[in-house]
Amino acid sequence: MADRLELQGRHGKSRVRVSRVWRRPAAAGGHVIVEWNVAVSVVSDRLPSYTSDDNSAIVATDSIKNTVYVKAKECTEIVSMEEFAVILGRHFTSLYPQVSEATVTIAERPWERVVVDGKPHSHGFKLGVEKHVTEVIVKKSGNLLINSGIQGYSLLKTTQSGFEKFVRDRYTLLPDTRERIVATEVTAWWRYPFEHVSQIPSKSFCFTQRYQDVKKVLADTFFGPPDVGVYSPSVQNTLYLMAKEVLNRFPDIASVQLRMPNLHFIPVNLGNKENPGLVKFADDVYLPTDEPHGTIEATVSRPKSKL
Ligand SMILES: O=c1[nH]c(=O)c2[nH]c(=O)[nH]c2[nH]1
């Protein structure tokens, strides 16, 4: 009976923190530093270690951790974290016969070059807020999937947002409004179209630049033009327009998933019978809260080609 059990397993190392510096001269743009939190997880064809005392097929998670530092050392040219993830995935699936698949996840700590007296500093950095993340799955055949994203991208606007004409029934208290604050913390994931290591473009395509560009398109669409903005009838509609604009602008992105919690700014009205109108709301004083918050998410993809 026990012989018929099915076993699926994977192992790896998480929270491997590595930082890499590339020391370019100031004239070439100055030093570049990245700080990455790497997780590697491998799938093996052979799993005797789960069912016996035979560890002969295990690549120790300690060796997996060491490999991250070896590969960082070997990257003498600047690499994006997507490229680094592919390098690691290729390494584990090609060096070890039993490893059929590797998943490499990286989150970047957002060190940003400082600007001093209007000039980018050659070796000074400060920590930003939102994070670039990636998940790369590499198979032994060289087939792969690259998903990248943004986490913790907080956006807010003080007007040009409303919510009205929604379902109104005995459970409804929320009034219609065409004037409110809208605030969110965007999590975005997008998929690149590369399906095999051989399709990954060389230097002409830069994943890091694409991350910056996607971030800008998301924010520009959320805010609208600087002087007048753009009216948002719901977080749902704004989310869709943001995803659509990313797909419009970047043909090499196949699909976009956005998660945009609605972080409420509740109008403050305070008073009682003796003291009515202690604070009367006039689009000025709010109670910000993220507990509870609305959860709004969607995936927008290009139609599948009908070849
Ligand atoms: O943009 C919004 N979408 C909703 O689905 C919703 N629900 C709610 O109470 N407020 C809002 N706002």
Side-chain angles (χ1 to χ4, degrees), residues 162-163 174 180 233-236 262 264 296:
F163 186 60
L174 191 71
R180 66 173 183 175
S234 65
V235 173
Q236 283 86 339
N262 189 6
H264 304 297
I296 292 149

Side-chain angles (χ1 to χ4, degrees), residues 222-239:
F222 178 86
F223 293 122
D227 42 357
V228 291
V230 61
Y231 182 72
S232 163
S234 65
V235 173
Q236 283 86 339
N237 182 248
T238 297
L239 178 155

